[in-house]
Amino acid sequence: MLFFKEKIFFSCNLCGSCCKEMDIPITHYDIDRIIKSGTSLELDMFITLYPSTQESEYSALLYNVYSTLFLSNNLSDNSCIFLVDNKCSIYEYRPNTCRTWPISKNENKRLQIDEIAQILVNSSCDKKIFKDHKEISKNIDIGLSELESYRTFLRFWNAKVQDMIEQQTIENFIENFKDFL
């Protein structure tokens, strides 16, 4: 059973602000879902590599650089590449971060508006009582499980390709993560 210290006031009004203001980290599960969406976009169009460090548990060794993978944004307005007319064109296949935004769980496992999202929620979202507690809690737990699997895969991947620069492509990365889904 879920317990709440206080009510959460958040309701999506389809303004698209969250899809214009965010950088969305993605995992192998997210990439797999997006590919299954049937998108016509090539991998390098919807995956952006941000330089990272070898020490980061979310870094993948790609093209001889440790990088964190993010969903691409349009250069013209910094909106998500899949935002069309303020709607997600891959909604059923969207990354888990998008599925749970702006809700997170605190250290007591209680749902809350994520600190980073609070400013955008205050300025853009409707302030109705949030009622989808079970679904969002389930998606947060799925996301945490997916992150653990992703970290395991990244340790495997980084060790495997460390001395094989020619193997450090995004295509090989995707081919190898299928065993970790």
Side-chain angles (χ1 to χ4, degrees), residues 18-125:
C18 56
C19 303
K20 297 173 186 167
E21 304 290 332
M22 306 279 290
D23 289 321
I24 304 296
I26 54 177
T27 69
H28 60 315
Y29 282 93
D30 297 323
I31 295 167
D32 187 60
R33 279 191 285 270
I34 294 169
I35 291 170
K36 288 177 179 173
S37 78
T39 181
S40 61
L41 294 178
E42 297 292 325
L43 297 170
D44 62 351
M45 291 301 296
F46 73 83
I47 299 171
T48 297
L49 304 177
Y50 287 153
S52 188
T53 64
Q54 182 176 356
E55 292 76 28
S56 171
E57 61 186 347
Y58 300 108
S59 289
L61 186 53
L62 295 163
Y63 309 105
N64 209 29
V65 175
Y66 283 94
S67 301
T68 304
L69 284 67
F70 282 82
L71 199 58
S72 296
N73 289 336
N74 288 307
L75 294 177
S76 61
D77 64 359
N78 201 41
S79 66
C80 174
I81 196 105
F82 294 109
L83 186 67
V84 179
D85 297 326
N86 278 346
K87 293 182 182 168
C88 179
S89 64
I90 60 162
Y91 186 80
E92 293 300 319
Y93 301 92
R94 68 196 186 281
N96 199 61
T97 297
C98 302
R99 292 173 188 274
T100 60
W101 191 92
I103 311 292
S104 64
K105 286 186 177 179
N106 65 20
E107 62 277 353
N108 297 320
K109 305 217 183 287
R110 292 177 190 234
L111 296 180
Q112 65 182 14
I113 300 286
D114 189 78
E115 281 183 45
I116 295 171
Q118 188 67 62
I119 293 170
L120 191 56
V121 168
N122 288 345
S123 65
S124 299
C125 303

